[in-house]
Amino acid sequence: QVQLVESGGGLVQAGGSLRLSCAASGRTFSRYNMAWFRQAPGKEREFVAGSSWSTYYADSVKGRFTISRDNAKNTVYLQMNSLKPEDTAVYYCAASGKETGITIATMANMANVDYWGQGTQVTVSS
């Protein structure tokens, strides 16, 4: 069982930055693929970034967001720069135990997610 707790969300002006953190419980954190998803009001949840042996990004955030992880601290981060109003959403941390066939498609597939965090709100004002 893995519990995920996000933090770091808030209100920021367009062009600003935020860093989200996701703290995971459990001793096998390093074995999990970790990802961030987001869900804007009235829209479906979508993949943002993922970390496995490599890192993966949605086209909409590539070059602006960076995912990283500290396995010693059981924490995954999402550094978000040059934020835009369209980045406004609830951001969710996700963990997947999938071991093979890791691609951006499999990272983005919510059917592969084993655990979800509760979400943290990010609001970008124009």
Side-chain angles (χ1 to χ4, degrees):
Q1 187 77 10
V2 175
Q3 290 186 323
L4 304 174
V5 179
E6 301 99 332
S7 61
L11 173 65
V12 64
Q13 289 188 330
S17 298
L18 280 176
R19 188 176 81 155
L20 305 183
S21 299
C22 172
S25 64
R27 285 178 267 180
T28 58
F29 173 77
S30 61
R31 297 171 58 183
Y32 283 89
N33 308 308
M34 300 299 298
W36 290 93
F37 290 76
R38 67 186 180 187
Q39 187 166 18
K43 294 188 176 181
E44 293 185 351
R45 193 170 297 190
E46 64 176 5
F47 171 79
V48 175
S51 172
S52 180
W53 296 110
S54 186
T55 55
Y56 308 89
Y57 297 94
D59 287 343
S60 59
V61 307
K62 201 173 293 183
R64 299 188 299 122
F65 290 11
T66 302
I67 188 171
S68 61
R69 61 193 296 167
D70 186 336
N71 289 334
K73 295 183 178 180
N74 281 12
T75 301
V76 62
Y77 304 97
L78 185 67
Q79 177 67 43
M80 305 185 294
N81 299 328
S82 302
L83 282 161
K84 305 175 181 179
E86 51 264 43
D87 294 318
T88 295
V90 178
Y91 283 71
Y92 296 91
C93 179
S96 167
K98 186 173 176 59
E99 297 180 352
T100 60
I102 303 300
T103 64
I104 188 170
T106 56
M107 290 293 291
N109 186 348
M110 288 185 283
N112 292 325
V113 174
D114 297 307
Y115 303 101
W116 291 98
Q118 83 288 351
T120 185
Q121 176 71 47
V122 172
T123 303
V124 184
S125 63
S126 57

